[in-house]
Amino acid sequence: MFPFTYTKVSSTREAITAAQRGGRYVAGGTTLVDLMRETVERPDTVVDISALPLREITTTSRGELRIGALVRMADAAADPTVRARYPVIADALELSASAQLRNMATIGGNVMQRTRCTYFRDMSAACNKRQPGTGCAAREGFNRSHAILGVSEACVATHPSDVAVAFAALDASIDLIGPDGVRRIPFAEFLLLPGSTPNREHSLRPAELITAVTIPAHPRPLRSGYLKVRDRQSYEFALTSAAVAMHVQAGVIRIAKVAAGGVGTVPWKLPAVERHLVGQRPSDRLWATAAAKAVDGTQPLAHNEFKVELLKRTVERQLRIVGGTR
Ligand code: SF4
């Protein structure tokens, strides 16, 4: 470990001021403290925001579901409104990490967590994300768990969050507060593709703080769920995953929302799959033809070619489960 200053704040104004002086926000600490122990991250000042009043799950007057950034993963998963309206969020949370971690980690921290690429955490390995311009050890190294969508020459690391895949599927937004006031950005614009600057992972401005994740109101109730495929049944990251939400009326799919995890450098929304489904009648053939579109544009690496077929099957299976023809 290395010396650093710890400061605990009790208001968002105090938090922003401390961050403007160079502090890093920490709440549950389940990502940052690990990275500090491994010296991958070395902040001079850590700003503890865990006492801020951002722990509520509310339904707005417009019918949006607003999940405070400091709501613990376990609490969000157990919330009656989340479970009733968006089982896909509860499923994704319950299939994440371990019970101990879910009791500590927050929703805001979960979407901000950094990649599990082993080379990123290995200080002796070349890694453009950790140290820009040094290269990418994963490209020529062991890349079985890496991304097949959204990759660049500079970085092929996956985004590790499960619930972020559900948020992407549901077209969530991120609510922020910073030195210039509050703003809301679509979740699709929050996490950045690696391109030539994989060290830039999100579109937060300096000292901005996530206050909530907001799920828009949908005109009709959605059936939804999350399927995660991994090497072991618990405490493991996704090889592939699928978040699906659907509304079927009079035998026709009216709304379809689909995203994939474990395969993209960011949670991977699948608009071509969604378009293929809307207006159609649920059938095994429809699930198969829709899922085939999930793998458009994939760029597998030396050790993860298997993810292409696995992604197709994961999406097809979850469409069948949520669409009700299993
Ligand atoms: Fe670093 Fe990204 Fe390459 Fe992993 S994939 S070694 S995080 S640059």
Side-chain angles (χ1 to χ4, degrees):
M1 213 41 161
F2 52 91
F4 63 91
T5 303
Y6 169 87
T7 179
K8 185 158 186 166
V9 294
S10 54
S11 70
T12 51
R13 181 189 292 257
E14 262 184 75
I16 291 165
T17 302
Q20 282 179 299
R21 294 192 191 117
R24 278 289 308 275
Y25 295 131
V26 68
T30 55
T31 292
L32 183 62
V33 174
D34 268 4
L35 293 171
M36 287 171 68
R37 278 205 200 101
E38 295 171 48
T39 68
V40 174
E41 297 223 31
R42 300 186 57 140
D44 293 329
T45 302
V46 168
V47 182
D48 184 347
I49 57 170
S50 59
L52 300 186
L54 303 173
R55 291 192 185 278
E56 287 196 339
I57 299 177
T58 52
T59 302
T60 71
S61 56
R62 289 198 296 249
E64 304 156 319
L65 180 72
R66 197 165 185 275
I67 306 175
L70 295 179
V71 174
R72 306 275 186 206
M73 290 171 70
D75 293 335
D79 182 82
T81 307
V82 171
R83 297 188 80 81
R85 288 180 63 187
Y86 300 111
V88 63
I89 295 176
D91 288 357
L93 288 166
E94 286 177 339
L95 291 170
S96 301
S98 64
Q100 291 91 337
L101 287 166
R102 293 194 295 272
N103 284 335
M104 281 299 293
T106 63
I107 291 295
N110 187 286
V111 299
M112 287 291 289
Q113 69 181 295
R114 305 198 71 189
T115 183
R116 269 19 196 203
C117 171
T118 50
Y119 301 104
F120 173 69
R121 285 158 191 261
D122 175 355
M123 295 296 284
S124 67
C127 175
N128 289 320
K129 189 183 277 298
R130 176 171 26 81
Q131 198 174 352
T134 55
C136 172
R139 271 218 158 259
E140 302 306 321
F142 187 56
N143 45 42
R144 178 176 180 271
S145 64
H146 287 70
I148 57 173
L149 287 160
V151 301
S152 71
E153 275 305 309
C155 183
V156 292
T158 53
H159 190 274
S161 170
D162 291 294
V163 76
V165 181
F167 291 152
L170 294 169
D171 301 308
S173 299
I174 299 278
D175 293 342
L176 303 166
I177 187 165
D180 299 326
V182 298
R183 66 181 181 124
R184 173 175 286 186
I185 55 173
F187 193 75
E189 295 171 17
F190 177 64
L191 296 170
L192 304 177
L193 291 168
S196 58
T197 54
N199 52 309
R200 289 190 61 237
E201 296 176 345
H202 49 72
S203 51
L204 284 175
R205 296 173 185 157
E208 265 188 332
L209 177 67
I210 301 175
T211 53
V213 177
T214 298
I215 315 299
H218 294 289
R220 300 186 178 94
L222 299 173
R223 244 179 357 214
S224 70
Y226 184 72
L227 177 64
K228 179 173 181 177
V229 178
R230 46 189 164 169
D231 283 325
R232 59 182 181 197
Q233 268 307 94
S234 72
Y235 199 23
E236 186 56 280
F237 295 95
L239 290 169
T240 59
S241 71
V244 173
M246 223 183 275
H247 178 79
V248 181
Q249 186 186 34
V252 175
I253 299 168
R254 308 290 179 182
I255 300 172
K257 299 190 170 289
V258 188
V263 289
T265 50
V266 295
W268 205 257
K269 181 79 163 163
L270 293 166
V273 175
E274 296 172 345
R275 283 194 298 272
H276 190 80
L277 293 168
V278 172
Q280 304 299 316
R281 292 184 174 275
S283 71
D284 286 348
R285 178 169 165 65
L286 180 68
W287 309 141
T289 53
K293 297 191 175 299
V295 298
D296 286 352
T298 49
Q299 295 174 274
L301 303 159
H303 307 117
N304 67 7
E305 173 90 43
F306 74 98
K307 281 195 177 186
V308 177
E309 181 63 23
L310 190 60
L311 171 61
K312 196 162 55 174
R313 293 187 192 193
T314 305
V315 171
E316 182 179 345
R317 182 166 161 194
Q318 190 59 2
L319 289 175
R320 184 176 295 117
I321 291 169
V322 174
T325 61
R326 68 172 164 175

